[in-house]
Amino acid sequence: MKYKRILLKLSGEALQGRQKNTNIDTNILEQYCDEIKALREQGVEIAIVIGGGNIFRGGQAEALGIDRVQGDYMGMLATVINAMALQSALERHGMYTRLMAGIKMEQVCEPFIRRRAIRHLEKGRIVIFGAGIGNPYFTTDSTASLRAIEVQADVVLKGTRVDGVYTKDPEKYPDAVKYNTLSFQEAYEKNLNIMDMTAFTLCMENKLPIIVFDMNQKGNLLKIAKGENAGTLIS
Ligand code: UDP
């Protein structure tokens, strides 16, 4: 395995899948579990940050007459709902997990304590970081970058529905070309929108590589951890 400790960022929006009446598609959860289990079985230490976009985003608040900061906290709570669903699914598949949150909620998760998180990882537990950083005006991408640095992960793996970073939006432009590798500088200059600026800068300043890949492609996560070229590496 090229990477021994990874931080996997999953979007909340993807968890919705094709569901119309609920926010969480169990088929997607199952698929994520299979991918994560294959990686865990190889001994890779896994930390996960999952978004909340399928339930609530802070950016939606103002249109609803809700204060922005309040909305951001609602978004953070949304990530905890997803994290709990994921935790439950991972455990059903026989994996050991811990959920640590950036906001105190002792009945459902542990508070985030860096040393304890590292210890969990060393013991082979999958650690899910819920409730973001615990502060408004941040995103789960920033949470992924920050937590990855804190627990000394080797790489941030950003699972998306496209297989990497393209010269332009591949869903709109058929002539878009995929990058296999990119430098942080190049990604910044070309304004490639890999993550929000806060998240991106944190990775760049701390020399933490990011790999953008297609999480819906079976076996991809394992391939990436082995160092195979199955996405776009930004380093
Ligand atoms: N959020 C926040 N601080 C954090 C992490 C998340 O305020 O540290 C809020 C923010 O409002 C965001 C929402 O939680 O819109 C859901 O997260 P995000 O939009 O990143 O989820 P995704 O797009 O990955 O599903």
Side-chain angles (χ1 to χ4, degrees), residues 9-13 51-54 56-59 68 71-73 75-76 79 131-141 143:
K9 163 74 206 313
L10 298 170
S11 97
E13 205 163 22
N54 55 326
F56 199 82
R57 277 208 182 91
R68 171 64 201 260
D72 277 341
Y73 279 111
M76 287 183 248
T79 71
I133 290 166
N135 290 312
Y137 298 105
F138 287 91
T139 62
T140 47
D141 275 354
T143 310

Side-chain angles (χ1 to χ4, degrees), residues 1 46 85-86 108 143 185 235:
M1 287 291 139
I46 306 167
L86 180 63
V108 290
T143 310
Q185 195 58 33
S235 60

Side-chain angles (χ1 to χ4, degrees), residues 194-231:
I194 289 157
M195 287 177 164
D196 62 78
M197 259 350 253
T198 312
F200 184 81
T201 312
L202 263 175
C203 288
M204 182 161 78
E205 286 178 349
N206 292 281
K207 300 189 174 55
L208 175 69
I210 309 167
I211 299 177
V212 178
F213 73 105
D214 182 357
M215 185 65 193
N216 299 322
Q217 190 73 37
K218 208 172 174 310
N220 243 359
L221 187 59
L222 188 61
K223 273 192 196 160
I224 293 207
K226 284 183 178 160
E228 286 177 32
N229 181 11

